[in-house]
Amino acid sequence: MTVYAAPVDDMRFLLHEVFDVSTALAGLPGLPEVDADLMDAVLGEAAKVCEGAVFPANAVGDREGATLTDAGVVMPAAFHDAYRQWADGAWTGIALDPAYDGQGLPRVVDFLVTEMVCGASLAFSILPGLTRGAWRAIAAHASEDLKRRWLPKMATGAWTGAMALTEPQCGTDLGLLRTRAEPAADGDGWRLTGTKMFISAADHDLTDNVVHLVLARLPDAPPGTRGISLFLVPKMLPDGRRNGWSVGSLEDKMGLHASPTCVVNYDGALGWLVGEPHRGLPAMFTMMNDERLFVGIQGIGAAECAWQSAAAYAAERLQGRAPGGPVRPDLPADPIVHHPDVARMIDTARATTEGGRALAAWVAIQLDRAEHLPPGPGRAAAEDLVALLTPVVKAAGTDFAFEACVAAQQVLGGHGYVRDWGVEQLVRDVRVTQIYEGTNGIQALDLVGRKLLPDGGRLPQRLFDLVRADLPGMPADLREPVARVLAASERVVETLQAGLSPTAAAEAATDILRLFALLSYGWMWGRMAAAAERGDGALHAAKRKTARVFARRVLPEAETLTARIAAAAA
Amino acid sequence: MTVYAAPVDDMRFLLHEVFDVSTALAGLPGLPEVDADLMDAVLGEAAKVCEGAVFPANAVGDREGATLTDAGVVMPAAFHDAYRQWADGAWTGIALDPAYDGQGLPRVVDFLVTEMVCGASLAFSILPGLTRGAWRAIAAHASEDLKRRWLPKMATGAWTGAMALTEPQCGTDLGLLRTRAEPAADGDGWRLTGTKMFISAADHDLTDNVVHLVLARLPDAPPGTRGISLFLVPKMLPDGRRNGWSVGSLEDKMGLHASPTCVVNYDGALGWLVGEPHRGLPAMFTMMNDERLFVGIQGIGAAECAWQSAAAYAAERLQGRAPGGPVRPDLPADPIVHHPDVARMIDTARATTEGGRALAAWVAIQLDRAEHLPPGPGRAAAEDLVALLTPVVKAAGTDFAFEACVAAQQVLGGHGYVRDWGVEQLVRDVRVTQIYEGTNGIQALDLVGRKLLPDGGRLPQRLFDLVRADLPGMPADLREPVARVLAASERVVETLQAGLSPTAAAEAATDILRLFALLSYGWMWGRMAAAAERGDGALHAAKRKTARVFARRVLPEAETLTARIAAAAA
């Protein structure tokens, strides 16, 4: 059976002992003063909802699935109760702007709470995940009138959000999209017509309304990506009528059965323009960047549940004897956790998960700084680092998560393949996180082409400076391998800056992203190991041990990556 | 949609241009003379059955699944037609002994035909796969009476086989098993009582009978693995009565829905001892070793279907432009195969699949030699190499296959996650091949503890000698990296022989197996590349290209593996 205990102590360790978050966020203009006790209390309350309400709905939700009826999408019964508790706590909006009914907590707290809900149920997490992203895009680009009308109920979770980009002929390449918008003869908005697919949570019966952000072309739109506009298209119109769109079908997917993935037919649906005409794609990217970070966190949450479940199984399952001799001679066999090959799988999954959590939390602190600092060098640095690390959090978070879930399944042996035990659901559910919100290959191309190359490599240089500054404080068994990965990463950026052909760069992109993941996760482990040396609790000992696992088992991947990158560049 | 074209040309290239199989098998005592034309004709006929009958049953079989009724297990309708065509051709027994109605072809032909049926449907392939393994165990260990009574109908496929090892409390550790056998008061056999689980194809309605091989304890059995005996326990007794066992339930699994995985309750079921009392485990290993090679081939077949399907999709799907500029300016976007990151995934999957096929075929030739040569150095060498490479074929074949299926799914993007497109089924189905017949972690411990260590490393030394002898004939871009992996493998064996602790060896085992996979696959690619240089067809050009992909992308993994192994040994 899967188990999930929200890793609240690990999160508090990160916030206070590794990042000293109170100091890092102190005095940011517009960010309410939040002391450590309040943050800790919020994490504790979130853990209760996620463990007590969301996690129990996950397996039954997968069994029942979302279904399409004449009245629209019906969600699994268990999700109704879980969502009610979630909305009662208004958890969706804890880090949204209080001007529109958010609660104004730092992003870093939201990231950690989000990881909990993802660990409890990936399918459930999509509801608040998309709502927050849509909220931010509306808040950043829509008129004040639209904001006042739509944001408050999304912030409380009374309504949810969705984004409608993909069409049958266009996924990654949005320039090919065809959905069109024409001025509404009968109102102040636009009438949208077209078919969108792969729309998560486009419809459901958990809330009274669902707010779509839809990409479409105005009548005078130029072709390609410079002719796309963004529209807010709700399910229920302000006058209480049902809007002109319907769900054509639900995709039958490998996993995430409790998350409806809809084909949506817009038949003259009424919508309102968000932002400037033809500038929909940059506006949508406000949401996409938010979602990419969210999807990385989905991976981290699922991986946490996976390794915890594998560890629980391995502590109970008795098979054979440890290679160094019986550990539990009182039992007919040793628990399999004492087999080094089993421990290796669990420990590695834990090391990549905790590294991912640290990086995501660190990025969230930069988001808080980017959002609240006045224009200037500090804000520019934070913005650069968020931009650089967003594809890393997304792709590495989900790639490592898939590996962790598959490893957890392997620990359970045959039971890992059987549905009753739940770990196979994690594998099926987490798999799509490597695909949606831009495949991980697209993340790699984004990193290489848009983040490492421009302006002489200004963005990666910022990361290199930070890692280099922290090297002296790291324990030796982390410092040396992290320094090697740093040097390798610097060489890669030099190669790119020296004019590597676009084809070679594209061939090497996925390996380059993984190298930057090793660098940034290794950096985080160096900082965590340093903080752990200052404490003497069981948690500190576990961190020191897991840091060594990361150094011994994960960082050596850099050797292969650099060889492959060199081969592509040659 | 998945596509599957049996790679007959690739197989013929292997048999004739790489291995010169007619010469390799010429004059083996007891092996009928089989000329190249006959082998090619058999492959061609097998391709027709696998493409035309088995492959079309695969997706619908997954949808319908096997179900348990009061009358026993009912198979999907599509499997009935497919199995009838399979049995009409008596394909199960093409390499079994003609003395018991097999057709006596070389094992290497059987391996290639088996790969085709696995590529067409993993769920279907289990039926002949288990039947052949049970057949060989009975042939090797049972009395002449049992052999005459049971083997002929298994060889033709009129009956199928299954093996019953696992019990709720014992999977890997068979010493813990409890099923007991007592002398039958009313007959010449034994009465078996106990519960077995995870029994693939224990029951179905495709044939009149199913023959189980069951591990159980005699009344006077010593505890542990030295007290286990092997029994033949059919579904239908020779007098036409139903035997005393029933299917308690079917497992609801992640995949292989058309393959019934049964809990079987033996309630005084009548069985006959196969081999000596208390010597059941060694007898069962005749079947297990056969199945381990089969499972490796399952991986290769699934991976072949996966990369073919991904390549077909990538040739049609239009998104964006190639980084070097438009390849198809006549189209609104380029086919995604022209994106280097997509090509990388397809080419790598192809390279590991074809490497696995070559290794499995080479091992099959050694099996033919081991079976037919008289006792002496030639036979001993063949036996050693089969023993050494069985865990490599099993674990590497399935690990690379899972990676290939996941990569193929990634190429399809969102469509890879949707059931209608079929690639997600490959991922779900192939996943268990890394788990059953001994998890891949168990294969690694087998390799390190039982194959690399004994007798001063005699077994790996045989492989090293063969690889070293072939190095000079390899093209330079293979020779250099293969030589590096050879040197790394030799160092690992030296470290083991120098007395590495059992705990350290167990921690490093999975990495060591992967290193031996790189060595043996790299060796095969070196031989294939050398053969391809002697031809000038499209197939030869493809082989040369794919060999370079293997050298550039897969062999560099050795760098990480050696670093990790060194860390474990330190």
Side-chain angles (χ1 to χ4, degrees), chain B residues 1-3 309-310 312-313 412 420-423:
Chain B
M1 306 304 133
T2 53
V3 297
S309 301
Y313 180 87
L412 269 76
D420 288 345
W421 288 75
V423 176

Side-chain angles (χ1 to χ4, degrees), chain B residues 54 114 117-118 121-130 132 294 298:
Chain B
V54 180
T114 295
V117 72
C118 294
S121 172
L122 280 187
F124 185 94
S125 74
I126 289 172
L127 296 157
L130 288 173
R132 275 191 307 267
F294 165 63
Q298 283 195 306

Side-chain angles (χ1 to χ4, degrees), chain B residues 91-437:
Chain B
W91 286 103
T92 298
I94 59 171
L96 298 178
D97 186 348
Y100 305 97
D101 288 13
Q103 294 168 59
L105 287 170
R107 293 293 289 269
V108 65
V109 176
D110 186 43
F111 268 43
L112 296 172
V113 171
T114 295
E115 190 206 303
M116 291 184 205
V117 72
C118 294
S121 172
L122 280 187
F124 185 94
S125 74
I126 289 172
L127 296 157
L130 288 173
T131 306
R132 275 191 307 267
W135 197 101
R136 289 184 191 282
I138 296 166
H141 302 286
S143 67
E144 188 60 30
D145 179 55
L146 284 180
K147 290 199 267 189
R148 296 243 161 261
R149 202 183 298 174
W150 298 102
L151 292 184
K153 289 210 167 183
M154 293 170 73
T156 60
W159 297 346
T160 66
M163 65 172 165
L165 286 69
T166 302
E167 298 178 8
Q169 78 291 352
C170 83
T172 297
D173 187 353
L174 290 168
L176 302 174
L177 77 80
R178 294 178 192 151
T179 297
R180 62 186 195 277
E182 293 178 340
D186 54 342
D188 62 345
W190 299 79
R191 292 281 173 191
L192 276 80
T193 304
T195 296
K196 296 284 184 178
M197 65 185 295
F198 294 158
I199 314 306
S200 296
D203 189 34
H204 59 77
D205 59 349
L206 298 177
T207 60
D208 297 335
N209 209 349
V210 183
V211 178
H212 294 190
L213 288 182
V214 185
L215 290 180
R217 292 186 186 282
L218 295 174
D220 62 342
T225 54
R226 288 161 200 273
I228 299 173
S229 304
L230 183 63
F231 298 87
L232 187 159
V233 184
K235 176 178 175 180
M236 303 306 296
L237 294 168
D239 62 9
R241 282 180 306 144
R242 175 69 209 249
N243 202 355
W245 60 258
S246 59
V247 176
S249 61
L250 297 187
E251 301 291 351
D252 186 5
K253 308 188 299 296
M254 182 184 190
L256 288 186
H257 295 155
S259 174
T261 304
C262 306
V263 173
V264 179
N265 299 311
Y266 297 92
D267 300 312
L270 190 60
W272 293 273
L273 192 62
V274 175
E276 299 298 311
H278 315 318
R279 297 284 300 153
L281 212 52
M284 198 77 207
F285 258 95
T286 301
M287 178 165 186
M288 298 259 284
N289 283 325
D290 212 67
E291 297 307 328
R292 287 176 175 186
L293 291 168
F294 165 63
V295 171
I297 296 167
Q298 283 195 306
I300 298 160
E304 175 73 24
C305 182
W307 86 253
Q308 285 189 21
S309 301
Y313 180 87
E316 296 291 329
R317 175 76 173 172
L318 310 178
Q319 294 290 285
R321 290 297 180 189
V327 179
R328 290 292 305 272
D330 55 317
L331 297 175
D334 286 330
I336 61 171
V337 72
H338 298 294
H339 292 287
D341 188 62
V342 171
R344 168 189 68 78
M345 291 189 272
I346 298 170
D347 293 345
T348 305
R350 181 174 182 172
T352 54
T353 304
E354 296 184 357
R357 172 182 304 133
L359 184 66
W362 188 85
V363 167
I365 294 171
Q366 305 318 306
L367 273 175
D368 280 318
R369 293 169 53 82
E371 212 164 294
H372 294 286
L373 281 173
R379 176 158 146 183
E383 287 173 345
D384 277 357
L385 287 159
V386 169
L388 174 71
L389 291 172
T390 293
V392 176
V393 169
K394 195 279 184 183
T398 59
D399 283 347
F400 279 129
F402 184 66
E403 294 164 28
C405 292
V406 168
Q409 186 181 31
Q410 193 73 17
V411 168
L412 269 76
H415 297 107
Y417 198 63
V418 171
R419 296 195 65 180
D420 288 345
W421 288 75
V423 176
E424 66 84 39
Q425 185 192 344
L426 286 172
V427 175
R428 287 186 292 105
D429 286 356
V430 82
R431 178 66 184 91
V432 77
T433 63
Q434 300 173 287
I435 295 172
Y436 62 20
E437 304 306 340

